[in-house]
Amino acid sequence: MRLALVLCGMFTGSAASAQQAFECNKADQLVAVEALEQAKVLTLSAAAAVGDTPEYARWFGTYSERNAEQVRATLKAVVTAMRSGAVTLHCNTNREDGCNEGEYAWVYPHRPLEVQLCPPFFELPPLTALQPSERRSNYGTREGTMVHEISHFLRVADTWDHCYSRRECREMATDSPNLAVENADSFQYYTEDVTYYARQPLTDKPSAARQD
């Protein structure tokens, strides 16, 4: 999340599936738009699943009606933003006015619905390509990254980055539930778990939720 003005570039992509991708080559454009479309479906399912469940406790701590309603409202707001057709995706490079080293994506919260995608984003796995125990899921998926970034916008949910990674965010959920319900990664990991990881059969492997 950033708090300065975004620098706009020349348009090189085209609209697809009611969304737009800019400054991307054709392959990256297809990946980006598909991730956004899949994230829309997953986030809607996640919002409907909010309740007193193990997945909720894992990412948001001890269940309370007040906090659960905030979680539900945030997820619904993300879905509404994705459904609006106003989200634009921009492929960024590692340069002074673009991505920082190791960054997957970023947004300016006050700049409505412009998501900047960094080269490492395209190296993330899609959610459906993973098995629950794979360690490469520790920092999320393409779809989960979309949920994370879109939740940051002031007009959506104004989430923050209180923690990063599954290990840190699970600890925060236990220690500080009120921070968890405003943390972008918590919504990302909850959406990933409740819509996919938590529902997959395991064979002699620990669940993703227990991995560091």
Side-chain angles (χ1 to χ4, degrees):
M1 181 168 61
R2 305 185 183 190
L3 299 174
L5 291 176
V6 67
L7 298 178
C8 298
M10 296 292 292
F11 170 79
T12 60
S14 61
S17 300
Q19 306 294 345
Q20 297 184 55
F22 296 85
E23 301 153 338
C24 304
N25 62 42
K26 185 174 182 180
D28 287 350
Q29 181 184 8
L30 292 174
V31 167
V33 172
E34 175 65 16
L36 182 61
E37 291 299 313
Q38 290 300 314
K40 185 190 311 180
V41 176
L42 297 174
T43 309
L44 182 61
S45 296
V50 173
D52 191 359
T53 65
E55 292 86 7
Y56 178 95
R58 186 182 307 142
W59 301 116
F60 301 111
T62 302
Y63 182 85
S64 73
E65 289 292 342
R66 178 180 178 181
N67 281 359
E69 184 53 40
Q70 183 174 341
V71 170
R72 190 178 296 109
T74 293
L75 292 168
K76 287 181 177 179
V78 171
V79 172
T80 298
M82 291 176 176
R83 283 178 162 177
S84 71
V87 174
T88 60
L89 308 172
H90 300 256
C91 292
N92 250 222
T93 58
N94 293 313
R95 61 181 190 270
E96 185 177 349
D97 60 341
C99 297
N100 295 323
E101 185 177 356
E103 198 168 31
Y104 296 114
W106 56 273
V107 301
Y108 292 123
H110 62 280
R111 186 75 178 243
L113 303 185
E114 292 186 6
V115 179
Q116 310 291 330
L117 302 175
C118 303
F121 170 85
F122 297 95
E123 298 173 9
L124 285 171
L127 187 62
T128 54
L130 293 176
Q131 293 299 316
S133 60
E134 286 190 85
R135 288 190 180 276
R136 66 186 177 127
S137 71
N138 192 43
Y139 287 89
T141 63
R142 296 171 188 165
E143 296 91 342
T145 298
M146 292 291 184
V147 175
H148 175 119
E149 297 302 337
I150 291 173
S151 74
H152 275 320
F153 290 113
L154 300 182
R155 63 183 280 183
V156 178
D158 192 20
T159 59
W160 291 82
D161 291 321
H162 295 305
C163 67
Y164 286 111
S165 87
R166 285 177 166 262
R167 180 177 181 176
E168 291 180 5
C169 293
R170 285 200 308 273
E171 291 174 354
M172 191 178 71
T174 299
D175 299 336
S176 304
N178 289 337
L179 292 181
V181 298
E182 61 182 34
N183 183 64
D185 253 12
S186 302
F187 288 95
Q188 171 175 340
Y189 297 139
Y190 173 77
T191 300
E192 290 171 344
D193 279 13
V194 81
T195 60
Y196 184 72
Y197 296 131
R199 303 294 180 237
Q200 299 302 300
L202 298 174
T203 304
D204 300 320
K205 293 182 180 180
S207 69
R210 294 174 56 189
Q211 285 200 317
D212 297 332

